[in-house]
Amino acid sequence: MEILTYVLQGILALMFLMAGFGKVTGSKMHVEAFTHWRLPQWFRVVTGLVELAGAVLLIVGYWVPASAIAGALLLAVTGIGGILTHIRVKDPFKDTAMILFLAILSFVVFFLYIS
C-alpha cells in the first residue's frame, strides 16, 4: 500500500506543479479560464501559489509524512473550490472532470496517510 501511496502522491504533485506554475506565470489558458469564471486575475496567482505549496508539501512528504498529509488536504480543499467554481458558472462536466479527479486523488492520498 505504501508504494501505491507514493505513486499517487507523485502524480498529484506533478499535476499541481504544472497547474500552479501555469497559473502563476499567467498562461493564456489560465488567464482566459479565470476571466470566464468571473474571478480576478490576482486570485489566479493566489490559486497557483496554493497549488505550488501543496505540491511542495507532497514532495517533502516523502520524508516527512505530516507534510504529505497537509499537502493532500490543502489540495483537496482547493479542488473542492475548483469544482464549486465550475458548478457556479455551469461549465460542462468535461471541463470539471480534471479538477474532480484531482480532488478525489488528493482525498485518497490524505486518507491513505491517516489510515
Side-chain angles (χ1 to χ4, degrees):
M1 199 61 122
E2 187 175 352
I3 294 172
L4 174 65
T5 304
Y6 286 162
V7 169
L8 295 177
Q9 182 177 340
I11 292 168
L12 195 58
L14 182 62
M15 294 296 289
F16 275 105
L17 278 174
M18 291 187 306
F21 185 74
K23 287 179 181 78
V24 168
T25 59
S27 76
K28 182 180 178 188
M29 175 184 76
H30 291 294
V31 170
E32 290 174 353
F34 274 72
T35 300
H36 167 71
W37 298 326
R38 298 183 304 275
L39 294 171
Q41 293 302 313
W42 65 263
F43 193 68
R44 170 185 48 82
V45 175
V46 170
T47 303
L49 290 172
V50 169
E51 290 175 352
L52 289 172
V56 168
L57 285 168
L58 286 176
I59 293 166
V60 172
Y62 284 114
W63 298 277
V64 183
S67 180
I69 293 168
L73 187 58
L74 176 64
L75 294 173
V77 171
T78 303
I80 290 171
I83 293 165
L84 292 174
T85 297
H86 283 283
I87 292 170
R88 180 178 61 87
V89 297
K90 298 177 175 65
D91 277 343
F93 180 75
K94 70 178 180 62
D95 293 345
T96 311
M98 181 55 75
I99 192 60
L100 177 63
F101 169 74
L102 292 174
I104 291 169
L105 187 58
S106 298
F107 277 114
V108 167
V109 169
F110 174 76
F111 286 114
L112 284 172
Y113 266 100
I114 64 169
S115 63

